[in-house]
Amino acid sequence: SRNSGSVCLLSFDDCYLREWAEWLPFLRDNGMRATFYVSNFMPLICGGEDGAGADALRALVSGGHTVGCHGAAHGRAKKMTREVGFDGYYHSEIVPYFILADEFKIKKPYHYAYPYGNGDSGTDRELLDIFATVRYGGREYYSPDRLHKVRVIHAANFGKRPEGSCGHEDAVRHAHKNNGAIALHMHRPIEKRMLFLADMARAGMRFLSIVAFLGLTGNYNSRVCRRSCFPIVAFLGLTGNYNHPTLRHR
């Protein structure tokens, strides 16, 4: 049945930029917006890419999608914070994302997804002083009366384990039927899964990026980036990239 009150937060992880860009016409034609949590992005900001990845990232941004942080080196947050503290993790995994955001015109609020879903409540508290939302793996149904409170998101892996996909499809249908929301994530887009989601979009389910979702719930102005941006300068000095063009206007 057609229902316009349900929402799916669709996201993609890692650095499959060119493959994601190939699916942009499909997303556009089906009225779908997504969040792309990018990792391993240092070549994009240090000149090591062949240009195609950077062009694909610009296409995601210009297409109205959200680009979030998935860690500069896809490090395990809980493990790294235990070994080097949150400040060490922040400098190595998060600060480079701010440079990426500046270079590719990624607008605030910023959003973060844990690599491997490897986080905890202590890391959540630190990250939510920087990002509007953080995202784990795992499936959760968000009822309409809880949507405005969502800052820690659990997204079911809709691509990795084919044997579990039927359960996730049922969960999507349940959210649609009950005017609720559900979050899904993939890595590479999988045609069978994408066609199912397009069917749900035609049935009236809205597929929103996290930015559009926060606007819908009235949670758009969550506190963001209270930490100083000075570490960006320190980071560039350490890498020998102090004269990076993103700082020339400052």
Side-chain angles (χ1 to χ4, degrees):
S1 62
R2 186 169 182 82
N3 186 333
S4 61
S6 59
V7 171
C8 179
L9 294 175
L10 178 62
S11 57
F12 298 87
D13 293 2
D14 296 343
C15 202
Y16 302 107
L17 291 163
R18 281 167 278 194
E19 291 179 58
W20 295 341
E22 290 172 359
W23 281 87
L24 286 177
F26 179 92
L27 295 174
R28 181 197 63 224
D29 293 347
N30 287 284
M32 302 163 74
R33 293 290 182 269
T35 304
F36 295 87
Y37 292 101
V38 180
S39 64
N40 300 301
F41 47 69
M42 289 304 293
L44 295 169
I45 58 177
C46 292
E49 258 283 345
D50 60 7
D55 289 344
L57 183 56
R58 290 189 182 92
L60 297 178
V61 174
S62 64
H65 303 280
T66 299
V67 174
C69 178
H70 199 42
H74 204 263
R76 295 178 182 270
K78 190 161 62 173
K79 179 176 184 290
M80 290 184 68
T81 54
R82 187 168 59 245
E83 293 174 350
V84 300
F86 184 79
D87 282 347
Y89 179 77
Y90 172 75
H91 282 78
S92 63
E93 289 289 292
I94 295 173
V95 167
Y97 171 77
F98 296 146
I99 304 170
L100 183 85
D102 195 20
E103 176 120 336
F104 289 89
K105 306 296 187 294
I106 298 167
K107 297 179 181 178
K108 296 180 183 179
Y110 301 139
H111 305 272
Y112 175 88
Y114 282 109
Y116 310 104
N118 184 248
D120 56 27
S121 59
T123 312
D124 287 352
R125 285 192 294 272
E126 297 278 9
L127 288 169
L128 288 172
D129 273 345
I130 303 168
F131 298 97
T133 60
V134 298
R135 200 213 70 198
Y136 285 85
R139 190 170 76 203
E140 188 166 348
Y141 167 72
Y142 299 97
S143 59
D145 61 346
R146 289 185 55 218
L147 294 184
H148 68 286
K149 300 177 181 178
V150 174
R151 290 193 72 199
V152 178
I153 298 165
H154 295 266
N157 189 333
F158 199 53
K160 187 174 182 180
R161 299 179 180 86
E163 67 276 9
S165 63
C166 291
H168 293 336
E169 289 180 1
D170 288 342
V172 173
R173 294 187 185 98
H174 174 79
H176 177 58
K177 180 179 178 180
N178 292 282
N179 289 326
I182 191 169
L184 303 173
H185 79 276
M186 287 185 264
H187 295 86
R188 291 182 170 95
I190 297 173
E191 183 175 9
K192 181 178 179 180
R193 310 281 184 270
M194 297 297 286
L195 291 173
F196 166 76
L197 297 178
D199 286 342
M200 296 305 300
R202 284 189 287 273
M205 185 171 234
R206 288 174 291 175
F207 286 78
L208 302 179
S209 71
I210 186 62
V211 167
F213 176 73
L214 291 181
L216 175 73
T217 63
N219 200 24
Y220 188 87
N221 291 317
S222 300
R223 61 189 186 277
V224 180
C225 290
R226 296 200 308 196
R227 284 175 173 260
S228 168
C229 286
F230 169 76
I232 295 179
V233 176
F235 172 81
L236 293 178
L238 287 173
T239 61
N241 197 26
Y242 189 85
N243 291 318
H244 192 278
T246 60
L247 291 182
R248 289 176 189 163
H249 67 282
R250 292 188 171 92

